[in-house]
Amino acid sequence: METPDLAALEVMAAQLEASGRYRLLRRLESCTLAPITNAALLKDGVYIDTETTGTDSSRDEIIELAMVPFKYDADGRICAVGEAFTALREPKVPISAEITRITGITNEMVAGHAIDPNDVAAFIAQAAVVIAHNAQFDRRFVERLCEAFKLKGWACSMSQVDWAGEGFEGTKLSYLASQCGFFFEGHRAENDCLAGLEILGRPLKSGRTALSHLLEVARQPSWRIWAERSPFDLKDRLKARGYRWNGEEGPTPKAWYIDVAEADRDAELEYLAKEIYGGEIHLPTRKITAFERFSDRI
């Protein structure tokens, strides 16, 4: 079989797209990089992804970890992408057939493999930010693997960019990639990292990159408010407003809670006083920064 003429294929692709009748997806082969204007001012970041035996970070385990280092400038443009750290890990219990179906990772592949926390800590040492697509999931797993993750500021490329407001139809990596015009082999950690970086490097409606928007949101503190001992018959009103239930006994209250921007804290407390409690209240609150956000320590 003859090797395809890639230049000719690109001409054909351009003609199809110019017709307005076709949308083409190109396979992601490398990340699009911005030119470096001042290397001394670049910052280091790490994009991570995990594959696990399940979704419960207190019980399930990492079976694959990928970390891709990158450099970005003050405008949130990705200027360099380094060599990935990828490692498999054998869990204490066998990988289920369902997880193998989703990830393609088998028990035979991970047999005898381990991930050294010291290697992980050394790899992320220079990073100013750690990014994951669904950091609420990944951070809880990797902090059990390596304590160094607790010392880093985190950002979430799924929840901390207003994708719907930017015209995207979903927040899954595959949806975002499709609307950015490319596809990739998903559900393997390194591929997901590279796809996430490519998406973050693309400009949004404002002309700024998605990474620029993400970092701006991640730097802003938020407040967690616990609606402690709220009336039971008003739980549906709290739920509809975005409150979530914390039913676990521990250092935080067993109560409905919500995370709000710092600018919205007083208004939310006023709402609770008037609409939920019917009078003056003194509720537990906590300021949250990128160093605690998405962890199970809040």
Side-chain angles (χ1 to χ4, degrees), residues 45-76:
V46 172
Y47 199 107
I48 77 162
D49 186 64
T50 60
E51 302 298 341
T52 65
T53 58
T55 60
D56 185 345
S57 61
S58 66
R59 180 187 63 200
D60 294 309
E61 300 178 69
I62 292 173
I63 55 177
E64 184 179 35
L65 170 66
M67 303 184 290
V68 176
F70 65 96
K71 292 184 179 293
Y72 62 97
D73 65 15
D75 294 322

Side-chain angles (χ1 to χ4, degrees), residues 76-88:
R77 302 184 307 163
I78 297 174
C79 300
V81 173
E83 184 176 350
F85 174 110
T86 60
L88 294 169

